[in-house]
Each structure stands twice: as C-alpha cells, then as structure tokens.
Amino acid sequence: MTPEAAALAMGLDLPDFDRDGYYGATYGTMKPYHRVGSLLFLSGHVAQAGAEVQKGRLGADLSVDEGYAAARQTGINVLAGIRQAIGSLDHVKGIVRTLNFVVCTPEFEEVHKVSSGLSDLLVEVFGPDRGLGGRATIGVMALAHGVCFETWATVEVA
C-alpha cells in the first residue's frame, strides 16, 4: 500500500496548507520548508491545524497519553507539510530524523513516550523501512502559544 493510500485508509484528515496556509507563519517570520537536493527540512510543526491544541505541561497538567495524542496530531500536520512541499506522500524515500520538544516539569522523564505518538504514526503511514528515522526528544520549559509538543523533521524525498 502506498503512503497516500495508507493515510486515506486510516481516515487521516490532512490539512491543506496550499489552500489554508501554513499555520506556523503565525508564530513569526519563517517559511514552512526548505529543500536541498533530496533532503526536505520542515519547519516546526505542532498539533494546531485542524485540531484542538493540547496546552500544558507533561508531568503537571497533561498525562503521557495526552502528550502522545498531541504528538500524533503533530504528525498529521507533518504529513500535510510534506504533501505541501512535494505534492504527494508517495514521494517520500524515508524519514531521516525528527527533533522533538516536550513541555514538561523538570522531574518528568518519559518524554520519549510522548514522541512515540509522532513516530508511531509515521511508521503506520510509510512502513518501518521508510517511516522510522532517527529521533531525539528534549524536555523544555515552554513553547509558543503554550503547546505541549513540537517537532522538526528532515525527510529524504524522490
């Protein structure tokens, strides 16, 4: 099954950033992506477009499950960003890496479980060979607009 067919079969509602605009521009001066050869660098994505935003701090206001859901919704927006940049998810050769930020208390040590919401979605859409890339997750004190999760992604494209 192709990634586009997988996303459709999963019932994913991907925002249309060409039609509606990339929501990240509301955070400041930036462009949604930059491509260098076969590498696509996506600007930060959060669980904002097309969904209720999870605000708060893991370890205080939000559970691991709520953080996981926010990371998964962020993944839907990453897919929309990929589609905006290259036209189709089918042109993805592989997820190179993601850098994930989780707003949490200093004592919260399960940031990796939150990021799995994003990683699991990418594997479901692209399969384990193309969808599983390198990953790092960092606990932070705050993100713009109070969101609890943000990611940067680097994608290899055809």
Side-chain angles (χ1 to χ4, degrees):
M1 181 179 299
T2 69
E4 285 288 343
L8 185 63
M10 293 169 61
L12 299 180
D13 184 19
L14 303 186
D16 184 339
F17 294 148
D18 285 330
R19 181 190 67 218
D20 302 329
Y22 166 61
Y23 63 94
T26 65
Y27 289 84
T29 306
M30 71 178 82
K31 62 183 182 177
Y33 60 87
H34 184 79
R35 185 170 174 179
V36 178
S38 65
L39 290 180
L40 175 65
F41 298 88
L42 294 178
S43 286
H45 281 278
V46 298
Q48 178 176 328
E52 182 178 324
V53 179
Q54 283 285 13
K55 294 186 176 189
R57 187 174 306 279
L58 277 289
D61 312 306
L62 299 170
S63 69
V64 170
D65 288 343
E66 289 169 316
Y68 181 98
R72 186 174 178 88
Q73 179 60 45
T74 299
I76 290 171
N77 294 334
V78 166
L79 296 173
I82 292 169
R83 188 185 275 165
Q84 178 190 29
I86 62 172
S88 171
L89 302 177
D90 295 344
H91 300 309
V92 170
K93 292 175 98 176
I95 302 299
V96 176
R97 69 173 184 134
T98 61
L99 177 57
N100 305 295
F101 305 91
V102 176
V103 176
C104 61
T105 63
E107 302 80 25
F108 186 77
E109 296 180 352
E110 297 187 316
V111 294
H112 59 291
K113 291 181 180 178
V114 172
S115 289
S116 289
L118 169 68
S119 300
D120 291 348
L121 177 71
L122 295 174
V123 168
E124 289 170 28
V125 171
F126 296 110
D129 291 337
R130 290 194 285 175
L132 187 59
R135 180 180 94 180
T137 303
I138 301 167
V140 298
M141 293 306 296
L143 291 169
H145 297 282
V147 300
C148 70
F149 184 85
E150 182 171 356
T151 191
W152 293 350
T154 306
V155 182
E156 182 181 10
V157 299

